[in-house]
Amino acid sequence: MTATSALSSVDPARRGGPDGREPREALARRTAFARGILRAPVYLLLAVASVLSVLPFLWMVIASTHQTSELFGTPLPVLPGGELWVNLARLQESVNFSQVMLNSLAIAVIYTVFSSIVSVMAGYGLATYRFRGRGVLLGVVLVTMMIPMQVLLVPLFQMMASAGWIDSYQAVILPFLANAFGIFLMRQAFLDFPLTLIEAARIDGAGELRTFYRIVLPVARPQIAALVIYTFISQWNSFIWPLLMLNTEDKYTVPVALNTMIGMSRVDYSGLMLGSLLATLPLMLLFLVFQKQFVSGLLGGAVKG
Amino acid sequence: MRSRTLLAPVVALAGAALLAGCAMGGGQPAGEVVLDPDAKLEGEITVWSWDVAATALDRLGDEFEAAHPGTTVNVVDVGYDNAYDKLSVGLQAGSGLPDVVTIETDRAPGYINEFPAGLVDLDPVLGDDEADFDPFKWQAQSDADGALKVAPWDSGTVGLFYRTDYFEEAGIDPASIATWDDLVAAGEVIKAKTGHTLLSLDVATGGGFQMLLQQQGQGLFDENGDITVNSPEAVEALTLLQTLNEKGLLKNVKGWDGRVTSAKDGDSAVTPEAVWWIGTLLGDAPELSGTYGVTELPAFEEGGVRTSNSGGSGLSVPAQAKNPQLAAAFVAFALADADNQVSMMQNEGLFPSYLPALQADYFAEPQEYFGGQPVYELFAEQTANIPAITFTTDNAEASDIVANAVVAAVLNGADPQQTLDDAAQQIATATDREIAE
């Protein structure tokens, strides 16, 4: 059915009437319908994709409510079992889970706050000020991003050991405060920042700090939200460095503690699944809180103006 | 302008290298640690272990403290597998390690060769007990000069686990199986009568090839460090695996989880595996209680060796330990003591490599899971028979090449002799070693 035939079926008295509202609405409805048909395969594809991405998560929920020995059987359980509280009690008992959750939260929050401050300020500086050595400085930042972690492990470890910081949280947090990716992300974000706004603030007599806090920060909120989410997730999931630095079970972070549940001749999968499930909750919460800003932050680079 | 943009990355690179590398050169601690068996025991030690091993040491630590007032033993569960990341970085950096670390037998030769000064020579404290330990462990965990670097702890003595119900249904007496040929013949009958395969193996990781090699007293290298992966014994082991697959007696599974699932589903009739597999069965397949028995590994020739090794671990004292004397005393207390080794078997399921412990009554007790068969007795008898083999720094690399050869021969039907000749050549190229005559 085409738009022309749609028009011809409308009452002739109304067709092309003085306001012309009705036909246009019908047209809009028709095109929306046609668009819907066109989009059906897209939605189908998206539905399949979301089912596929939800399945592992669903399996995590199911697995965390069964005994480990049931997870090796054929067929695999498809419904939640009744072992959730038993698994939770064991998780708490074997790795002191509530404590390590708190540890992880404390580390991730502190790291996110300070690392974001460094990234935002450094990124702003590199993007808006012109000074001697700016290119070199940016180059150094980028190059540290390119050095693989494995190369850094031993020298960094030695630095922490000679500072006497092994088994302390500052050793987990400090070495990565200046996060190259974060700085670069913020620099790119501030490159698009309208200089005229800053100039206007200056003309009005605002100092550099005042300009930064009052003018720049509020406008850059979406990008900062994206940065915060990224920084928090990377610290929350970070494994190898906390593993190397922390030597006391009560100081472990969640990934390090969960790793101790992998045994020599047995793996406590239901405990692991439950722990991983609980570990994703703070991330989901964070994403829900920052979702609006996050999405516009991601699109900020794509759709200019 | 042009030259500046070109130069900027170079300067940046130099700067970054400076930033990243400014703490280089810690290296090994100066001065060798020599243990004194009569040293006064005092102070505090920290022990790294994992899983049930950590539980065992924690328990024994309390007893040690009671026996030696003024000492403290802290045990930390650093997690299994990734503990090696901590260990490697600590040895490389020359700092950050505790007084005692746990190292598995498979990994021990790598660390001993890679960090000759990194681990303390335990001979002054344990040397007198050499004859009391599993000879294979002792050799694998000593350096080239025979100095013991990792004290033998639990043993990976191998036996043949079999499904009593499948054997009964097929009318075969497991006791009648003396050689691998017998087992292959039995496997064909079982397959015909019950429909079950004989073995579930993870072919991609080598499918137990090295276990079969060690059974014949061979490693990937001989005592001169020459490559032996294409020896007649190796060809025989690989031919056996190939035959199993050609006759449809082998179920190829993927990884550890695949092996556990396959055992739980009852795919196959036998599992040649170390004594610690009992822990896996009890924990992950409790419903199969009463369906399993254990017998000796079939020999390659009538009267040949009927066991091998798979896994197991030991305790070591890093040279950077703050209290090496106390650390070594604790290691000796835990490992070179029959009662303590037996208690770790009873409470945590760690099978001793300390031979006097294997005389204990506990090992003769009937095991309910195995229909009342005293299965530990068999492993206890076989532990002293595990053939000793030589490890080198290149074992890890050679293992990967050999695993590929196993896949080629077993799954793709390549000629075993030809495949192993190629593998030996590859190892020779990769490691600069000679191929043994």
Side-chain angles (χ1 to χ4, degrees):
Chain A
M1 208 181 273
T2 64
T4 340
S5 66
L7 282 175
S8 60
S9 69
V10 177
D11 179 0
R14 290 221 142 205
R15 192 198 305 167
D19 57 349
R21 233 169 114 190
E22 194 64 23
R24 215 182 292 156
E25 249 172 41
L27 185 67
R29 231 179 295 133
R30 298 285 168 180
T31 32
F33 179 69
R35 223 184 281 149
I37 288 184
L38 280 177
R39 280 190 180 172
V42 177
Y43 282 130
L44 197 72
L45 204 72
L46 287 176
V48 170
S50 43
V51 166
L52 282 181
S53 45
V54 164
L55 265 184
F57 195 77
L58 193 67
W59 170 240
M60 222 152 86
V61 175
I62 295 169
S64 60
T65 56
H66 284 273
Q67 282 178 22
T68 298
S69 66
E70 287 165 27
L71 304 181
F72 285 110
T74 311
L76 288 167
V78 286
L79 292 172
E83 297 285 320
L84 177 65
W85 299 111
V86 180
N87 290 337
L88 192 62
R90 196 180 60 254
L91 187 66
Q92 174 63 24
E93 200 226 307
S94 66
V95 299
N96 197 359
F97 194 72
S98 55
Q99 175 71 48
V100 297
M101 273 294 254
L102 285 178
N103 297 345
S104 262
L105 269 179
I107 291 178
V109 167
I110 293 171
Y111 175 78
T112 305
V113 169
F114 287 98
S115 165
S116 300
I117 291 176
V118 171
S119 296
V120 172
M121 291 186 119
Y124 176 68
L126 284 170
T128 46
Y129 295 104
R130 300 185 60 85
F131 54 92
R132 198 174 276 276
R134 181 170 78 158
V136 173
L137 201 59
L138 183 67
V140 170
V141 169
L142 288 182
V143 165
T144 61
M145 199 158 78
M146 293 164 202
I147 300 176
M149 183 67 188
Q150 291 86 330
V151 179
L152 293 176
L153 285 181
V154 172
L156 258 186
F157 186 90
Q158 282 174 328
M159 283 171 77
M160 295 302 122
S162 45
W165 281 0
I166 295 218
D167 205 21
S168 73
Y169 287 157
Q170 65 260 38
V172 177
I173 296 170
L174 275 180
F176 303 101
L177 264 195
N179 172 1
F181 177 77
I183 293 174
F184 186 64
L185 186 79
M186 288 334 283
R187 177 196 175 256
Q188 295 309 98
F190 285 124
L191 278 184
D192 292 339
F193 195 84
L195 264 179
T196 43
L197 265 183
I198 300 174
E199 280 158 6
R202 280 194 191 132
I203 290 165
D204 287 347
E208 290 304 318
L209 274 179
R210 195 185 169 90
T211 313
F212 180 66
Y213 282 117
R214 289 292 162 85
I215 310 294
V216 178
L217 278 193
V219 178
R221 248 165 61 192
Q223 284 91 341
I224 294 173
L227 175 76
V228 164
I229 292 184
Y230 165 80
T231 314
F232 188 90
I233 292 178
S234 71
Q235 181 62 47
W236 184 262
N237 290 339
S238 145
F239 174 66
I240 188 77
W241 188 247
L243 172 82
L244 291 178
M245 283 298 111
L246 302 176
N247 293 335
T248 312
E249 282 149 89
D250 284 342
K251 288 185 184 167
Y252 283 173
T253 59
V254 172
V256 178
L258 288 182
N259 180 55
T260 66
M261 302 186 81
I262 299 172
M264 285 189 291
S265 62
R266 289 199 64 206
V267 183
D268 183 1
Y269 277 114
S270 47
L272 266 178
M273 286 296 179
L274 181 58
S276 319
L277 186 68
L278 293 175
T280 56
L281 293 182
L283 296 185
M284 283 197 235
L285 206 67
L286 183 82
F287 193 80
L288 286 180
V289 170
F290 284 94
Q291 190 180 28
K292 214 175 133 196
Q293 272 101 350
F294 184 58
V295 172
S296 53
L298 280 183
L299 295 177
V303 218
K304 284 195 184 176
Chain B
M1 189 63 210
R2 175 119 197 97
S3 68
R4 249 182 82 194
T5 43
L6 271 178
L7 210 84
V10 178
V11 177
L13 195 75
L18 211 69
L19 280 180
C22 58
M24 276 301 210
Q28 295 301 330
E32 203 183 332
V33 184
V34 180
L35 293 178
D36 170 15
D38 302 318
K40 187 170 159 22
L41 302 179
E42 56 189 355
E44 193 175 336
I45 54 168
T46 301
V47 181
W48 281 1
S49 196
W50 50 65
D51 197 23
V52 285
T55 318
L57 292 181
D58 205 18
R59 187 173 52 76
L60 289 180
D62 292 343
E63 292 179 23
F64 185 81
E65 287 169 3
H68 302 276
T71 62
T72 311
V73 180
N74 304 312
V75 178
V76 186
D77 183 348
V78 289
Y80 172 66
D81 207 22
N82 286 296
Y84 292 111
D85 294 331
K86 286 172 89 88
L87 187 61
S88 301
V89 171
L91 283 170
Q92 190 84 49
S95 60
L97 289 183
D99 304 275
V100 179
V101 294
T102 312
I103 304 178
E104 281 168 292
T105 308
D106 308 353
R107 306 265 194 156
Y111 282 106
I112 292 168
N113 292 318
E114 198 74 38
F115 303 101
L119 303 171
V120 172
D121 177 5
L122 295 169
D123 270 327
V125 176
L126 285 169
D128 294 343
D129 299 314
E130 177 171 354
D132 286 337
F133 281 96
D134 167 358
F136 157 66
K137 291 257 145 168
W138 192 278
Q139 181 178 329
Q141 296 173 190
S142 298
D143 67 12
D145 303 326
L148 182 71
K149 293 297 186 75
V150 182
W153 183 358
D154 65 312
S155 188
T157 316
V158 171
L160 186 74
F161 293 80
Y162 62 90
R163 289 287 297 255
T164 44
D165 44 350
Y166 296 175
F167 272 75
E168 231 160 76
E169 200 182 330
I172 295 168
D173 177 13
S176 69
I177 291 167
T179 64
W180 281 105
D181 291 341
D182 295 347
L183 187 66
V184 172
E188 287 181 288
V189 178
I190 292 171
K191 171 106 187 189
K193 295 209 173 158
T194 70
H196 290 285
T197 47
L198 183 63
L199 283 158
S200 294
L201 292 175
D202 181 6
V203 177
T205 58
F209 173 73
Q210 291 197 48
M211 184 201 283
L212 295 174
L213 207 52
Q214 184 172 1
Q215 189 190 356
Q216 302 175 78
Q218 275 215 358
L220 302 179
F221 302 95
D222 65 11
E223 60 276 10
N224 303 322
D226 294 344
I227 301 157
T228 52
V229 300
N230 57 345
S231 65
E233 289 86 352
V235 174
E236 197 171 345
L238 189 54
T239 310
L240 170 65
L241 290 174
Q242 192 182 44
T243 312
L244 284 169
N245 193 47
E246 280 169 358
K247 292 182 187 284
L249 301 178
L250 192 154
K251 184 176 166 69
N252 185 20
V253 295
K254 222 173 158 191
W256 172 257
D257 298 343
R259 294 184 53 203
V260 177
T261 304
S262 185
K264 208 173 155 68
D265 289 347
D267 291 337
S268 298
V270 306
T271 313
E273 190 47 278
V275 58
W276 45 255
W277 181 250
I278 294 174
T280 312
L281 288 177
L282 288 174
D284 288 334
E287 73 282 2
L288 293 180
S289 175
T291 65
Y292 266 105
V294 182
T295 184
E296 290 88 357
L297 207 59
F300 275 87
E301 283 150 25
E302 200 93 37
V305 176
R306 298 197 61 177
T307 189
S308 185
N309 183 77
S310 165
S313 55
L315 290 176
S316 188
V317 179
Q320 51 180 282
K322 290 188 187 66
N323 197 342
Q325 305 292 351
L326 185 62
F330 177 66
V331 170
F333 170 83
L335 304 186
D337 181 295
D339 290 344
N340 287 340
Q341 282 266 23
V342 172
S343 82
M344 290 195 278
M345 175 72 219
Q346 272 180 290
N347 294 303
E348 286 89 18
L350 299 164
F351 193 82
S353 60
Y354 185 65
L355 305 175
L358 298 173
Q359 306 298 322
D361 295 337
Y362 177 77
F363 294 92
E365 282 175 19
Q367 299 300 321
E368 201 193 323
Y369 189 91
F370 295 90
Q373 188 194 353
V375 289
Y376 289 122
E377 200 168 36
L378 181 145
F379 290 105
E381 278 167 16
Q382 289 294 336
T383 300
N385 300 336
I386 301 173
I389 57 171
T390 309
F391 289 92
T392 70
T393 34
D394 297 319
N395 262 68
E397 191 161 13
S399 290
D400 289 342
I401 295 173
V402 164
N404 288 336
V406 171
V407 171
V410 176
L411 299 184
N412 305 334
D415 176 51
Q417 178 75 59
Q418 185 59 43
T419 316
L420 288 174
D421 282 341
D422 291 349
Q425 197 53 55
Q426 271 187 56
I427 297 171
T429 313
T431 65
D432 262 347
R433 287 176 187 274
E434 304 279 318
I435 299 173
E437 288 300 312

